[in-house]
Amino acid sequence: MSGLGRSGKRRQREVVDVVEPVAPDRSLDKLLHVRKQRLDRFERERQEARSAWRTARQALREAKLRWRGALEEAHEVWREARAQFFKMATTSGQVRRAKGAYERMKGEAIELQLECGEYAARARAAGGDFFTARRRVLEANRQQEKLGILRDEIRLLAQQSEM
């Protein structure tokens, strides 16, 4: 009669509450991981945008140099033709041919100038893309930082509540 009480019934043992370990919530860590991947993608896009912008600026610079060179060459041809004419070293027909060459060269220079405008528009667009990508990276960094601080505070509060 070891387990029976005075009334002849079995004694009921009191259930001991054992705190079961709660699995830590990993949703914030998963979110941070996804955000980190997004941040890496934004960084990569920013680098590509910067590279494209630099390439566009270099192309613009080269086009400007070609345009300036063509313009200077046209002016030089015309200056020489005029100087030869005023020295009476050339005929008026040669001067007209030189003037025609000058006008043709000037037209080519104008085409180069229009090409420079197209390069400039591409460079501006590439710059806009770069700064958009840069802004996205900065915003993503800020969000990542805020989430990291939030996660650390939650962990700290969880540790304090366990004590």
Side-chain angles (χ1 to χ4, degrees):
M1 232 186 172
S2 63
L4 297 177
R6 291 185 188 171
S7 63
K9 294 183 180 176
R10 284 195 172 267
R11 280 191 238 162
Q12 292 186 357
R13 293 190 178 164
E14 196 173 309
V15 179
V16 178
D17 288 335
V18 177
V19 179
E20 293 183 26
V22 178
D25 184 15
R26 297 283 181 216
S27 59
L28 194 55
D29 291 333
K30 289 177 184 175
L31 177 64
L32 278 166
H33 179 68
V34 170
R35 293 286 186 145
K36 178 68 174 148
Q37 288 176 331
R38 182 183 294 168
L39 178 62
D40 291 343
R41 190 185 80 229
F42 285 164
E43 283 283 347
R44 194 171 46 256
E45 289 173 0
R46 182 180 62 97
Q47 293 292 346
E48 291 168 1
R50 177 188 285 158
S51 175
W53 185 34
R54 286 180 176 168
T55 302
R57 286 191 333 228
Q58 182 63 31
L60 173 62
R61 184 176 182 280
E62 291 168 1
K64 277 184 182 178
L65 292 175
R66 284 194 310 272
W67 167 53
R68 289 176 185 152
L71 201 58
E72 185 57 39
E73 185 181 354
H75 287 303
E76 186 60 36
V77 165
W78 180 237
R79 276 192 292 263
E80 280 182 27
R82 285 186 59 198
Q84 293 295 324
F85 180 74
F86 287 125
K87 286 183 187 176
M88 298 296 188
T90 62
T91 64
S92 61
Q94 290 171 324
V95 169
R96 277 194 298 277
R97 278 193 301 276
K99 182 159 179 127
Y102 165 71
E103 293 297 328
R104 199 171 43 257
M105 293 171 86
K106 198 165 88 171
E108 290 171 3
I110 289 172
E111 287 177 17
L112 286 172
Q113 183 181 19
L114 292 175
E115 190 178 315
C116 283
E118 292 171 7
Y119 279 114
R122 283 189 220 128
R124 273 192 298 277
D129 292 345
F130 166 71
F131 285 109
T132 300
R134 182 175 175 264
R135 189 171 37 260
R136 270 197 324 233
V137 166
L138 291 174
E139 288 171 5
N141 268 331
R142 257 187 243 116
Q143 289 175 353
Q144 190 77 0
E145 205 173 309
K146 286 178 185 178
L147 286 172
I149 290 170
L150 181 64
R151 179 194 58 199
D152 295 343
E153 286 182 9
I154 289 172
R155 284 185 181 161
L156 183 65
L157 289 173
Q159 286 175 353
Q160 288 175 353
S161 68
E162 287 175 3
M163 291 180 184

